[in-house]
Amino acid sequence: MAKAHKLDEFGGGITAPLRHVTFRRVWLAGLLSNLGVLVRSVGAAWAMTQMTSSANMIALVQTALTLPVMLIAMPAGAIADMHDRRIVSLISAGIALAGATALTVLTYLDMVTPILLLTLCFVLGTGGALMDPTWQSSLGEQLPRDAMPAAVALNGISYNIARSVGPAVGGIVVATAGAVAAFAVNALLYLPLIIALLLWKRVAQPSRLPREQLSRAVVSGLRYVANSPSIMIVLVRSMVTGIIGAAITALMPIVARDLLHGGVQTYGLLLSAFGFGAVIGALYIPETRKRLSGEATIRACALSMGVGLFAAALSRDPILTAAALVLAGAAWMMSWVLLSVGVQLSVPLWVTGRSLAAYHTAGSGGAAIGSWGWGSLADAAGVEAALLISAALMLLSPLLGLWLPMPHVRSRIQEAELLEDVEVQLPLTGRSGPLVVEIEYRIAEENTRAFHAAMQAVQLFRQRNGAYGWSIACDIADPETWTERYHCPTWFDYLRQRNRATRSERELERKAAAFHIGPHPVRVRRMLERPFGSMSWKEDISERSENEILLHESGPGST
């Protein structure tokens, strides 16, 4: 049974998502923009190498490109969940195009300094930080959920096809026409992506409730992640992988310059080898997942990356170093795809963007911190020593799985059906609150431990869907009476919270309620905590009509 489950994860083959026209169009345009990004990366890294001999400053180019993900990913994920993802993607591409254009013009005018280069790389990284969670979370709007693992892998393949070709192209462009030409190519190759996004005819799925405020949406995303143990494990493993593995990408220009005594063409060769390995890794993900569990695959990838880092540190031959980077690139790609799939298939659609943003924050934040740290270590102890230490830590990283084993990847998550209306007699507005919900159960004394254990799982999903201040209490005068209690900030927040549950979460709720005994059903009370200061007592026909529409929800006896 387990093997059949794994086979379903990439059902239809890795090319199945390309049958969908919108995905195919944006994927091909993304391939071109990724090519431009890699050409620009060669130009930026080599331009910094020409301006300074500091390994730390050179490594900071990678930090500047990845740091925005750590800083703005959660707001970006909230924006992706709240707004039209097509429009957000267009704005993201526009930011990146503006940054690439400014970098081209200023380089042409010979006005770029190391600090200005890092600043513009940060702007370009900001466009990518806004685009990543938006595009990844939009896959559920374009594809069947079963095709999403293959789509994630294809997105990785797109970047790494560009990585395998782009650096070589970038090396040629920089060697023949300078960094300014690399930056111009980057700007021009954003245009097909913008055109493809304009052609995407997104079918909006209107919500019956107003959008959350940005700050509250961010808090909702953080709450969901914090109360999801499986996602927290993936985030920790992603950050560790990013911190340790960043050495190879951040120090690659110095490897080309100092260990191999080469120029920009050698640097392009190394990047191409790493990207070629990543493409191979992505293509073999389905076969690997058939044979190995998620934890076993992550461990194998870490060991392979460690071996590749050791070989790259000790090699002085470009061909041997390139071969080591092919191995490291394959393992690197497989790790990130499996970690990303683990997040995407474990969350409902309403919080996909924010969950992916948390994942990108952990991974890219780790890479940004690692890039700075490995650059500083290379300045102090040399690039060979930095790579050897990184390799040793990577070989030890599978031990983390003893405490934080990778969760099983589910093939899909099912949103639950809408619940039935709740009875309301007070004239509530959307901002009325806080709401207090009390659910009273009668539990036979011999079942109290099992009931209490079941309610711990209920607590997690209540909290991740928007509740706070959750508690479960036993009546000391009547030990069979148990009361679950929690808050929601406003009436609208309560309406969102009660219909965010997935089918598996509703099943947990039913299992807990099944312990209830007695002639009457579970009793649910919904109370307004500050009634005189948080609702309208005036008779407003239009507002009451709107509330009647917003109250139309679902589920007999459900909270």
Side-chain angles (χ1 to χ4, degrees):
M1 186 64 115
K3 187 171 183 179
H5 171 71
K6 290 177 183 177
L7 287 170
D8 287 339
E9 291 176 14
F10 288 84
I14 200 167
T15 60
L18 294 175
R19 300 170 194 159
H20 300 266
V21 62
T22 298
F23 178 84
R24 181 174 67 247
R25 189 181 287 147
V26 179
W27 186 84
L28 291 171
L31 176 61
L32 293 176
S33 69
N34 286 333
L35 178 63
V37 167
L38 268 297
V39 170
R40 177 248 296 160
S41 295
V42 174
W46 201 253
M48 185 65 82
T49 304
Q50 297 302 300
M51 285 188 283
T52 177
S53 60
S54 169
N56 192 36
M57 288 296 292
I58 295 169
L60 280 176
V61 172
Q62 184 73 13
T63 298
L65 290 169
T66 55
L67 187 61
V69 178
M70 184 173 69
L71 297 178
I72 71 167
M74 281 307 296
I79 291 169
D81 287 332
M82 294 163 56
H83 297 278
D84 187 322
R85 290 179 171 120
R86 171 178 168 273
I87 300 300
V88 178
S89 296
L90 280 167
I91 293 171
S92 306
I95 292 172
L97 175 60
T101 302
L103 188 56
T104 303
V105 172
L106 292 174
T107 304
Y108 178 76
L109 297 175
D110 198 23
M111 296 173 62
V112 174
T113 64
I115 298 301
L116 184 56
L117 177 60
L118 292 176
T119 301
L120 290 172
C121 284
F122 185 87
V123 172
L124 288 161
T126 299
L130 188 57
M131 171 69 83
D132 284 346
T134 305
W135 171 242
Q136 292 282 0
S137 62
S138 73
L139 297 179
E141 300 176 358
Q142 304 169 44
L143 302 163
R145 204 162 180 88
D146 288 342
M148 285 174 59
V152 175
L154 279 172
N155 282 340
I157 288 173
S158 169
Y159 179 76
N160 285 289
I161 288 175
R163 189 198 285 267
S164 63
V165 177
V169 174
I172 294 171
V173 170
V174 172
T176 56
V180 64
F183 302 147
V185 168
N186 177 214
L188 290 172
L189 290 182
Y190 277 120
L191 298 178
L193 179 59
I194 292 174
I195 293 170
L197 290 170
L198 288 171
L199 293 174
W200 174 15
K201 304 300 181 184
R202 179 177 182 263
V203 178
Q205 299 178 354
S207 172
R208 298 162 63 193
L209 293 173
R211 293 192 190 104
E212 294 178 274
Q213 294 179 351
L214 179 59
S215 59
R216 187 160 289 176
V218 171
V219 171
S220 295
L222 292 172
R223 181 188 295 119
Y224 188 93
V225 169
N227 287 283
S228 301
S230 61
I231 296 178
M232 289 300 296
I233 289 173
V234 174
L235 297 189
V236 172
R237 302 292 292 269
S238 299
M239 178 165 280
V240 170
T241 300
I243 290 173
I244 300 174
I248 191 62
T249 52
L251 300 179
M252 207 178 294
I254 310 171
V255 170
R257 186 189 67 186
D258 295 351
L259 296 186
L260 302 180
H261 306 291
V264 67
Q265 293 90 346
T266 303
Y267 175 49
L269 170 67
L270 299 185
L271 281 175
S272 296
F274 192 84
F276 179 68
V279 172
I280 294 174
L283 291 173
Y284 275 91
I285 287 173
E287 185 63 27
T288 304
R289 288 295 291 119
K290 291 176 188 177
R291 300 177 182 277
L292 299 174
S293 68
E295 177 61 33
T297 305
I298 293 295
R299 290 181 182 180
C301 290
L303 295 175
S304 299
M305 278 191 280
V307 171
L309 283 164
F310 260 121
L314 299 175
S315 170
R316 298 297 181 269
D317 179 77
I319 302 302
L320 180 57
T321 302
L325 292 179
V326 168
L327 175 63
W332 179 261
M333 180 65 193
M334 293 178 74
S335 296
W336 288 115
V337 169
L338 292 171
L339 291 167
S340 178
V341 168
V343 171
Q344 290 197 61
L345 296 187
S346 299
V347 298
L349 188 60
W350 71 268
V351 76
T352 300
R354 282 163 280 189
S355 299
L356 282 168
Y359 160 74
H360 287 303
T361 298
S364 296
I369 294 169
S371 296
W372 170 79
W374 295 119
S376 298
L377 182 59
D379 268 341
V383 64
E384 180 180 338
L387 288 175
L388 287 173
I389 293 172
S390 172
L393 292 175
M394 188 63 76
L395 291 173
L396 292 173
S397 66
L399 295 176
L400 192 61
L402 299 176
W403 293 275
L404 298 172
M406 285 291 295
H408 295 293
V409 178
R410 289 174 284 184
S411 59
R412 61 187 303 155
I413 191 168
Q414 299 282 342
E415 279 80 9
E417 69 283 354
L418 291 177
L419 299 175
E420 69 179 12
D421 296 353
V422 297
E423 182 181 352
V424 177
Q425 297 297 330
L426 290 177
L428 300 176
T429 69
R431 297 176 65 183
S432 297
L435 263 289
V436 182
V437 181
E438 290 186 351
I439 307 125
E440 187 176 291
Y441 307 86
R442 291 198 63 80
I443 308 297
E445 289 193 44
E446 63 270 19
N447 292 330
T448 54
R449 285 188 178 276
F451 170 73
H452 188 268
M455 291 304 294
Q456 303 311 301
V458 172
Q459 175 189 4
L460 280 178
F461 86 72
R462 293 251 201 262
Q463 290 178 164
R464 64 175 166 253
N465 289 338
Y468 69 93
W470 186 95
S471 65
I472 184 76
C474 178
D475 189 333
I476 60 174
D478 181 6
E480 288 190 345
T481 299
W482 287 74
T483 302
E484 178 190 5
R485 193 172 194 267
Y486 62 88
H487 293 68
C488 289
T490 68
W491 175 241
F492 277 166
D493 288 313
Y494 172 69
L495 295 180
R496 294 186 183 99
Q497 182 270 335
R498 74 188 298 262
N499 273 320
R500 280 173 171 172
T502 63
R503 291 186 184 180
S504 61
E505 290 169 344
R506 289 270 167 81
E507 183 59 29
L508 289 173
E509 188 178 27
R510 283 190 286 268
K511 285 181 178 178
F515 287 100
H516 176 74
I517 60 174
H520 303 294
V522 171
R523 183 181 180 186
V524 180
R525 289 188 293 271
R526 304 172 183 88
M527 299 170 288
L528 190 61
E529 192 166 84
R530 294 193 291 270
F532 293 100
S534 61
M535 69 181 188
S536 172
W537 290 92
K538 295 180 180 179
E539 207 47 58
D540 186 325
I541 301 300
S542 63
E543 183 178 5
R544 290 182 65 84
S545 299
E546 179 186 0
N547 283 334
E548 288 172 5
I549 295 173
L550 294 171
L551 288 173
H552 192 64
E553 301 243 355
S554 96
S558 179
T559 57

